[in-house]
Amino acid sequence: MKPEVINAIDAINVTLNAGGMNAINIVLAFVMYGVALGIRPGTFVKVFTQPKSVILGVVCQLVLLPLFTFCLALAFGDSISWTMAMGMILVASCPGGNISNFMSNLSKANVELSVSLTAISTALAVFMTPFNFWLYGNLYLHFTDVTEEVPTLVIPLWDVFKTIFILLGVPLGLGILTSRLLPKFAIKMKKPFQWFSIVFFVAMVVLSFIGNIDAFLKCIKYIFLVVLIHNAVCLCVGFFTGTIFKVSRKDRRTLTIETGIQNSGLGLVLLLGTSLFANFPPHGGMLVITAWWGIWHIISGFTVSYLFNRSKKS
């Protein structure tokens, strides 16, 4: 990638005032609450009586996805900037996306497994998101020749823990409690919350980048290809893991969707709505990768869901 392109991407600077940060955090909390409305104790009991697919899904999401992303970032070499690589690693470190259950339903996949994996990856994100980003971020900087003066990537784990606990843990607990005590309300509100998640994310991306729209449009062709390849790798990790370990067709579809749909909205909140990256060098590459990922995985997710829906073999 040409230096002028890298500079243009990293020069994209998105800032939010305290009110904007709080608004994003509150709305994301509502989104996670909506995810939890589809989670019921009986769902877990049914899925965990045959835990093979659950274990594979957790391994795909929390182990294989960050690892393959790290390898892919290294394979891109000079074709991407180090900040774009950090964006890829950040996305891969986030839990499964909150619309994956909806897409699993469209795919005629195992929705109960999807809900369980979303819940597990979301709950473990409190620990695994900061750990995977810290681990593979430092490894990437170690194995690449980064000429910029890049400080050692040290993530304040306690701050990340508090942020993710508030954004994910509390809404998740309240959503499960609602589905238990008010099941009719939970069923009625589940789908509106899922659609709200899509609208919210697109709106958040547009509003965040409105002041840098010219620079964003100039670099989108580079970002598009990187995210397309990264997302395709994520989908393949889930699909081929299910194929190798010979799970059922419905479970394989679920593993594909769950591994390919990431909660990049959480990544944007960590970038924009917290002070975690306040002293980090210009990191526009992280922002554009994370933002475009959130838009693209909706497009790719619906495409894969449609193909699964029409196919009797996959």
Side-chain angles (χ1 to χ4, degrees):
M1 183 178 291
K2 297 179 180 179
E4 56 268 25
V5 176
I6 293 176
N7 292 334
I9 293 175
D10 283 340
I12 296 177
N13 182 28
V14 180
T15 58
L16 291 174
N17 57 30
M21 292 178 183
N22 290 333
I24 285 181
N25 289 335
I26 291 172
V27 175
L28 185 61
F30 273 103
V31 170
M32 297 314 302
Y33 172 77
V35 172
L37 290 178
I39 300 173
R40 295 173 179 78
T43 299
F44 292 105
V45 172
K46 181 178 180 180
V47 171
F48 282 93
T49 53
Q50 297 178 326
K52 179 180 178 180
S53 293
V54 175
I55 295 172
L56 289 175
V58 172
V59 171
C60 283
Q61 181 72 49
L62 303 182
V63 180
L64 297 182
L65 182 53
L67 175 60
F68 273 79
T69 296
F70 164 69
C71 295
L72 179 63
L74 289 179
F76 274 130
D78 294 335
S79 299
I80 62 173
S81 67
W82 68 270
T83 56
M84 292 169 65
M86 291 298 159
M88 294 169 60
I89 293 171
L90 178 62
V91 169
S93 301
C94 289
N98 46 48
I99 59 172
S100 59
N101 310 143
F102 181 52
M103 291 183 177
S104 289
N105 185 56
L106 294 178
S107 302
K108 296 181 180 178
N110 187 336
V111 180
E112 289 79 11
L113 174 62
S114 175
V115 171
S116 299
L117 290 175
T118 298
I120 293 170
S121 67
T122 299
L124 293 180
V126 175
F127 308 99
M128 296 305 296
T129 292
F131 173 76
N132 276 328
F133 185 66
W134 169 83
L135 174 63
Y136 291 107
N138 276 295
L139 283 175
Y140 179 83
L141 294 182
H142 176 74
F143 283 106
T144 55
D145 183 20
V146 180
T147 57
E148 291 86 348
E149 293 183 6
V150 182
T152 301
L153 184 60
V154 179
I155 301 299
L157 300 183
W158 177 243
D159 287 346
V160 176
F161 174 86
K162 290 188 295 184
T163 299
I164 297 180
F165 179 77
I166 294 172
L167 293 178
L168 303 182
V170 173
L172 190 66
L174 291 175
I176 294 175
L177 187 62
T178 301
S179 67
R180 178 70 180 270
L181 300 178
L182 301 170
K184 292 183 179 180
F185 173 81
I187 293 173
K188 183 178 180 180
M189 296 304 298
K190 179 183 175 182
K191 186 166 290 188
F193 266 107
Q194 289 174 329
W195 283 109
F196 172 72
S197 301
I198 300 174
V199 175
F200 155 68
F201 188 87
V202 173
M204 184 171 69
V205 171
V206 172
L207 292 176
S208 298
F209 282 83
I210 196 69
N212 300 271
I213 190 65
D214 291 337
F216 186 71
L217 291 177
K218 289 180 181 178
C219 70
I220 186 60
K221 61 182 179 180
Y222 301 100
I223 303 300
F224 177 87
L225 183 60
V226 171
V227 171
L228 184 148
I229 295 173
H230 186 201
N231 181 240
V233 168
C234 296
L235 292 166
C236 288
V237 166
F239 182 85
F240 287 111
T241 298
T243 301
I244 292 171
F245 287 92
K246 299 179 180 180
V247 301
S248 68
R249 182 177 64 191
K250 292 180 66 174
D251 286 6
R252 182 169 61 239
R253 292 179 177 185
T254 297
L255 294 181
T256 304
I257 295 295
E258 285 295 319
T259 312
I261 304 298
Q262 291 298 101
N263 192 345
S264 46
L266 175 63
L268 276 184
V269 168
L270 293 175
L271 284 168
L272 301 176
T274 70
S275 60
L276 298 176
F277 295 90
N279 297 319
F280 211 63
H283 50 276
M286 294 182 69
L287 287 169
V288 291
I289 287 290
T290 306
W292 182 247
W293 229 100
I295 295 174
W296 176 252
H297 79 169
I298 294 173
I299 298 172
S300 66
F302 276 117
T303 301
V304 171
S305 297
Y306 174 79
L307 294 175
F308 277 157
N309 186 280
R310 297 298 299 269
S311 173
K312 296 181 179 180
K313 297 181 180 180
S314 297

